[in-house]
Amino acid sequence: MRFDQRHLLGIEPLRPDEITTLLDLADQYVTLSRRREKHSNVLSGLTQINMFFENSTRTQASFELAGKRLGADVMNMAMQASSIKKGETLIDTALTLNAMHPDLLVVRHPHSGAVDLLAQKVNCAVLNAGDGRHEHPTQALLDALTIRRAKGRLHRLNIAICGDIAHSRVARSNILLLHKMENRIRLVGPATLMPPGMSEFGVEVYDDMREGLRDADVVMMLRLQKERMDGGFIPSEREYYHRWGLDAEKLSYAAPDAIVMHPGPMNRGVEIDGTIADDINRSVIQEQVEMGVAVRMAAMDLLARNLRARPTELSA
């Protein structure tokens, strides 16, 4: 297996073969996680610190569970009540962390680039659990694994990403990954939620939901990021659902075997009809949650292997 990264800060630096390596290993961890005995010792003796400057349920729980299943010593730092609130800078935090000698640092931060800055200052492997509007690499990787397992491949698929593209780090990471793997990507949503210059990313942009979903193999819905909106991006939630919310009628324009995805948490009746979200024949939303643990196990395993291969560099 070939994976040369010291950190996992985004999808952009990853080569297609590195993505495949990580997904292949994650497949093995899906099998492990379905056993009665779910424990491995590949991270035994290593310390994992989770630092979430933004609230999270799924991602934080997933990383914590992944680390524990691999045998790491896992610590969650309550950043909402930390010294950051008292004026400590991110650099001060990095110096404090270095004194603790962690091996794996998982960080979610509201500002784009903050995780990259931390990675430059700490002597351990850093995993980006979401930074501002920038990237959320493990979400894109778990989405990729879900697609590959459901469709049997991860290339030359028609994939529609729908909704709040402008505020979504999930959309950005997915666009980068799916483009690397040679898929046809369509972005669907209102012009107010579509960043300018998206055609430069090699994607197609649609304002009309039905046209955007026509013959799609994968329909990926996004959450309305209302906490990141500072103006009238949509006329109303009711109008948004009428035009861009996924229901049975709009889904009928996609391929008959199209799968439906959502990174969560869902706003039922706004982005997606609850019946569609719960349809076990079309929705893979629960599978995405399961794949999240396996992908994070694989990412930390691969980074730990590279960490152990460079002891002199990291202890300098």
Side-chain angles (χ1 to χ4, degrees):
M1 293 190 297
R2 184 78 185 272
F3 192 85
D4 299 323
Q5 304 296 320
R6 176 172 174 174
H7 307 291
L8 182 57
L9 302 178
I11 296 299
E12 205 159 7
L14 299 182
R15 302 186 309 269
D17 66 300
E18 290 179 309
I19 293 170
T20 300
T21 289
L22 197 151
L23 297 184
D24 288 347
L25 182 57
D27 258 328
Q28 298 178 34
Y29 282 130
V30 172
T31 303
L32 174 67
S33 294
R34 289 178 176 179
R35 295 176 186 164
R36 185 177 297 276
E37 296 294 330
K38 301 173 176 62
H39 189 73
S40 168
N41 62 0
V42 299
L43 297 185
S44 179
L46 300 185
T47 299
Q48 170 191 339
I49 297 179
N50 297 330
M51 298 174 59
F52 279 65
F53 294 86
E54 282 185 320
N55 291 328
S56 167
T57 300
R58 290 165 181 76
T59 305
Q60 183 167 351
S62 182
F63 268 112
E64 181 176 357
L65 193 57
K68 288 180 176 178
R69 284 185 180 171
L70 293 179
D73 295 318
V74 182
M75 183 179 78
N76 294 312
M77 294 184 68
M79 303 314 298
Q80 302 298 326
S82 73
S83 297
I84 296 289
K85 297 292 185 181
K86 302 171 188 174
E88 181 175 280
T89 69
L90 208 55
I91 303 301
D92 293 329
T93 300
L95 295 173
T96 301
L97 287 168
N98 273 333
M100 297 179 186
H101 300 292
D103 302 290
L104 296 158
L105 181 62
V106 180
V107 185
R108 170 171 283 197
H109 201 282
H111 298 139
S112 301
V115 180
D116 181 69
L117 177 63
L118 263 177
Q120 296 173 32
K121 304 295 182 181
V122 296
N123 298 325
C124 64
V126 176
L127 295 97
N128 183 0
D131 64 326
R133 300 182 190 179
H134 179 229
E135 278 219 49
H136 194 348
T138 56
Q139 180 68 47
L141 288 160
L142 75 87
D143 289 343
L145 182 60
T146 305
I147 293 169
R148 194 175 77 165
R149 290 173 66 94
K151 308 301 291 186
R153 68 186 195 276
L154 189 60
H155 64 282
R156 297 178 185 174
L157 293 167
N158 294 323
I159 300 176
I161 304 176
C162 312
D164 186 359
I165 309 293
H167 302 97
S168 177
R169 55 196 174 202
V170 172
R172 177 177 171 80
S173 288
N174 267 301
I175 291 166
L176 291 168
L177 189 153
L178 295 169
H179 188 263
K180 286 175 185 280
M181 305 309 284
E182 301 178 0
N183 294 283
R184 180 183 176 187
I185 306 165
R186 308 170 188 172
L187 304 182
V188 187
T192 52
L193 295 177
M194 196 70 62
M198 291 309 297
S199 58
E200 298 173 10
F201 284 84
V203 301
E204 302 168 29
V205 177
Y206 292 86
D207 177 75
D208 184 273
M209 186 78 165
R210 293 163 183 82
E211 282 301 309
L213 295 189
R214 191 176 298 279
D215 299 323
D217 300 300
V218 177
V219 180
M220 186 182 296
M221 304 306 297
L222 298 173
R223 182 175 68 87
L224 273 178
Q225 308 259 325
K226 288 179 279 189
E227 72 277 11
R228 300 186 193 279
M229 297 181 187
D230 53 7
F233 287 88
I234 58 172
S236 68
E237 289 187 352
R238 182 177 179 180
E239 177 66 16
Y240 182 87
Y241 177 70
H242 175 71
R243 295 192 60 183
W244 295 286
L246 186 65
D247 55 23
E249 188 272 331
K250 297 188 191 77
L251 184 58
S252 69
Y253 285 79
D257 62 346
I259 59 172
V260 175
M261 309 180 73
H262 195 298
M266 289 181 288
N267 295 308
R268 291 171 181 257
V270 178
E271 304 130 11
I272 187 169
D273 179 79
T275 305
I276 298 295
D278 298 331
D279 184 349
I280 61 173
N281 297 312
R282 306 299 292 272
S283 171
V284 293
I285 294 171
Q286 291 306 311
E287 284 85 345
Q288 287 175 268
V289 177
E290 181 186 10
M291 295 307 116
V293 177
V295 157
R296 284 152 186 151
M297 291 170 76
M300 290 193 289
D301 181 351
L302 291 169
L303 291 175
R305 296 182 198 196
N306 293 344
L307 190 75
R308 285 173 166 138
R310 298 191 281 263
T312 303
E313 176 189 343
L314 291 179
S315 61

